[in-house]
Amino acid sequence: MLNDHRASSARKNAELLRATAGSRGLSRRDVLRFGALLSAGTALTACASTGSSNPTSGSSAASAGRIFRFAQGAAPVQLDPALSPVASTYQVTAQVLQTLLTADHYTGSPDTTDSLCREWKVSDDRLTHTFVLRDNVHFSNGTALTAAAVVQNFQRWQALATGESTAALVVPAQPLYAWGFGVPEQSAQKDASADASATPSALVSPTAGASASATADAQGSASPSADPNSSDSQKGATAKTKSTKPEPKPVSFTPLVTSVKEQDGAVVVTLSRPSLAFGCILTQQAFGIIDPALFGSDQKLTGVPVGTGAFRIESSEKGTVRLLPNEHFDGARPQLDEIQISTLTSSDKRYFALVEGMIDACDQVNSSDLGQLARDGYQTPGRDPFSLVYLHLNTAHPVLKNISVRRAISHAVDRGALHQYYPQGTSDAQTLVSPSFRIRADHAKEHTDRNQDLSRSLLATAGYNNQVIECYYPADVSLPWMDTPQKVYSEMVASLIEVGLNIVPVPLTWEEYHAKVNEPSSTRGIALAGFYGMYRDPYAFFGPALAPMIAEQQVRSIVAAAPESMTTGVTAKTVELPSSNGADSNIRIQATPSPQPSFSPDPASPEESASASPSPTPTPSATVVPVEESPSLLKIMESIRAADSAESMDAQRELYAQVVTQLGQFMPAVPLLNVTSKVAVSRSVQGYQTEQNAIEFFSKLRLS
């Protein structure tokens, strides 16, 4: 029966392809789009047939037929939202897990509505947060939710954020437990540099065992703004190059969260300083509460996550996740009998799967399809531009460690050329934070305006001599912040090559990209990256850009504290770790030039594979220029802590304006676009509501 159904579907699609291929005026793009349906349609039809003809144990309700089928552009790397904090994972776990707090749909403010708490209390000094849980809440396996279970989840997040092999992956937990968002310990302030000496006024004594030491790598001094062509300046630069910079003394930090305990059936969390972001952070799916019985000895999950939400995970295979109602859910019963979340990495495949009735909704709709979908009666709700696509610059790379090179890249990029690959409503990004926060950025254009002559001069100032810089990008996915990564990369890299940069493309599978883009490394150069703001706070945008540097510091502190004979996680203490030391300086590049790079074709998209010719050495006419001083990473984190500890949103906005300026000077990443996206929904679906963070909740949907 199943084989007959597949054959029938294949014949139907083949006939459609032949008929349209011979139609007058049909574009090559349309023919290819119909061809894409052959593979997408057969797979989806087979999946639907399997689900209806072979119901699993406990899934009799699914046979009623109220099945909502949603297609996204990237498969979940894994279903652990703490270790895979990406939209494709969150879209699944949002149906399964509940959090201590939820975000208000209109304001983004943390709230207890539809959360695990019936009350959230904050002490007068803003350091103690008490979460009173709802009564009679159960996980989908029947186990009762307790305060002790929530405490175990906090302990797991801390273990993952402070583990050498996981610290780079657990980006959402970094503000709570890692090096950057905490406060310097009082005992270390006397010996710390001026960049790390200031401490928010609400500093409290650290809880025993909660501190983490970090090496203040980013304390290098920037080159003076005097004329660099003068003989004195050149001699000074040579002296700096030959001298060995003394290793700064370690600075110990107390994490933001210093203790979590059960008290009278409630969960009590103590912070080291007041934090406006803390409640917002807990609304993320990364902090969805999971049954602790699934936590292994390494704190990784031993099975699919089990939560208290409206649905439970029935199966997950070949890019498709099946969800069935949670029989123990204490809220309003969902009006769906089953949810199927599948993966189609091409917008063409998603479009035709929708119009052929194989799915009920899909994400990342191509702009060229919107008009036809609207004419055919499909809903096409949009999301506000609450996302960012950017170039991450690895400050541990021997070339990108130089501040002038990073600034040169920012001035070289042609943002206007990228708009053709994004829906209407997408705009140029001048800073790393969403415009919706209304944070003043008076001098942002000074750091992002395109100026090829200035870019070439900055490369000459840095001593850049055609050294290879690798650029990572995902090659086999369609993402909310970048529907066609291959095309965006090709357009972006052309502007870098024009100014003389030698860029080598490194296309990666989605799973490889997710693993490598944040790990401490001195070989990764640039990464074409992006994200949707997962909570409404400026740090939701600064954090991902700073995460690799924070993870680097965190791993260095873990290894430094380990016994001499011990291997911690994956790296022995004796192994030299990548370092961003001096990333705020303009010491001339000493890396060996590579005049002839090799290029790796993208096997996933041979017709669209990016290629580039070896970049020329900067022209002799490019002259060195004075370079503005840059703040250190420690100084920036100090400013972020001060802004996050502000007493009001208005005060926070003013303080974050300083952070925006500092990040523009330091340039850990080059902002490209503030991105919007569209969803296409079948006429039979009622109640679909888009969210700014691209994570929709399906429990309240209805099928007509």
Side-chain angles (χ1 to χ4, degrees), residues 33 37 80 89 111 138 216 270 290 344 369 404 406 431 480 482 542 586 596 611 662 694:
R33 285 155 57 97
L37 179 59
D80 184 348
T89 294
D111 195 4
H138 292 78
T270 303
I290 299 173
L344 293 174
D369 296 325
S404 290
R406 302 202 299 276
T431 71
M482 192 163 54
F542 299 144
N586 201 42
Q596 184 64 43
S611 62
Q662 291 174 331

Side-chain angles (χ1 to χ4, degrees), residues 520-544:
S521 169
S522 59
T523 57
R524 180 186 72 251
I526 302 172
L528 182 56
F531 57 85
Y532 263 77
M534 290 301 174
Y535 55 98
R536 195 169 181 81
D537 184 86
Y539 193 77
F541 291 79
F542 299 144

Side-chain angles (χ1 to χ4, degrees), residues 46-382:
C47 176
S49 300
T50 302
S52 59
S53 62
N54 297 292
T56 58
S57 175
S59 62
S60 58
S63 62
R66 295 183 301 178
I67 302 175
F68 175 69
R69 300 159 300 173
F70 181 83
Q72 53 185 2
V77 176
Q78 57 175 308
L79 292 178
D80 184 348
L83 284 173
S84 183
V86 293
S88 55
T89 294
Y90 281 7
Q91 189 64 85
V92 175
T93 61
Q95 322 310 323
V96 175
L97 306 179
Q98 291 181 293
T99 49
L100 288 178
L101 298 172
T102 56
D104 181 271
H105 173 74
Y106 298 101
T107 67
S109 301
D111 195 4
T112 58
T113 304
D114 295 328
S115 77
L116 288 174
C117 296
R118 60 181 172 85
E119 190 176 7
W120 169 36
K121 297 182 289 187
V122 183
S123 61
D124 291 341
D125 61 5
R126 302 162 57 204
L127 297 178
T128 304
H129 294 249
T130 302
F131 301 94
V132 182
L133 304 179
R134 296 199 327 261
D135 297 326
N136 300 318
V137 178
H138 292 78
F139 292 103
S140 60
N141 59 10
T143 303
L145 173 71
T146 64
V150 175
V151 171
Q152 286 179 271
N153 274 263
F154 271 92
Q155 292 170 341
R156 174 179 185 255
W157 300 327
Q158 181 182 28
L160 294 176
T162 56
E164 184 183 357
S165 62
T166 54
L169 298 175
V170 195
V171 176
Q174 289 184 5
L176 302 185
Y177 295 109
W179 169 83
F181 219 52
V183 297
E185 292 183 4
Q186 291 177 328
S187 59
Q189 290 179 24
K190 294 179 181 179
D191 298 324
S193 69
D195 282 337
S197 61
T199 306
S201 59
L203 177 66
V204 297
S205 299
T207 301
S211 65
S213 62
T215 303
D217 282 338
Q219 296 186 27
S221 58
S223 60
S225 57
D227 182 5
N229 290 310
S230 67
S231 58
D232 290 342
S233 296
Q234 295 293 346
K235 291 178 182 178
T238 303
K240 284 185 180 180
T241 301
K242 293 181 178 179
S243 64
T244 301
K245 191 174 182 179
E247 188 73 13
K249 293 182 179 180
V251 179
S252 296
F253 283 82
T254 300
L256 177 63
V257 174
T258 61
S259 73
V260 182
K261 61 183 179 181
E262 177 186 2
Q263 184 174 306
D264 299 328
V267 178
V268 180
V269 181
T270 303
L271 307 183
S272 60
R273 61 170 176 80
S275 171
L276 289 172
F278 175 66
C280 298
I281 289 172
L282 292 184
T283 66
Q284 296 180 88
Q285 270 297 299
F287 300 106
I289 302 300
I290 299 173
D291 182 1
L294 291 164
F295 301 165
S297 58
D298 58 358
Q299 296 301 314
K300 296 181 180 179
L301 298 185
T302 58
V304 297
V306 173
T308 59
F311 290 87
R312 61 179 177 84
I313 297 174
E314 172 68 11
S315 64
S316 175
E317 57 181 353
K318 298 181 179 179
T320 297
V321 182
R322 291 183 63 234
L323 306 172
L324 299 181
N326 172 12
E327 297 176 358
H328 300 279
F329 183 57
D330 67 334
R333 304 295 295 180
Q335 298 189 36
L336 299 175
D337 298 313
E338 180 178 344
I339 297 173
Q340 294 177 5
I341 300 179
S342 59
T343 303
L344 293 174
T345 58
S346 162
S347 59
D348 291 340
K349 292 179 181 179
R350 293 192 297 275
Y351 172 84
F352 279 100
L354 179 68
V355 299
E356 287 292 303
M358 299 170 186
I359 58 175
D360 301 299
C362 63
D363 207 348
Q364 294 110 256
V365 182
N366 193 296
S367 298
S368 62
D369 296 325
L370 291 173
Q372 187 61 51
L373 286 170
R375 286 190 292 271
D376 291 342
Y378 289 89
Q379 307 168 59
T380 56

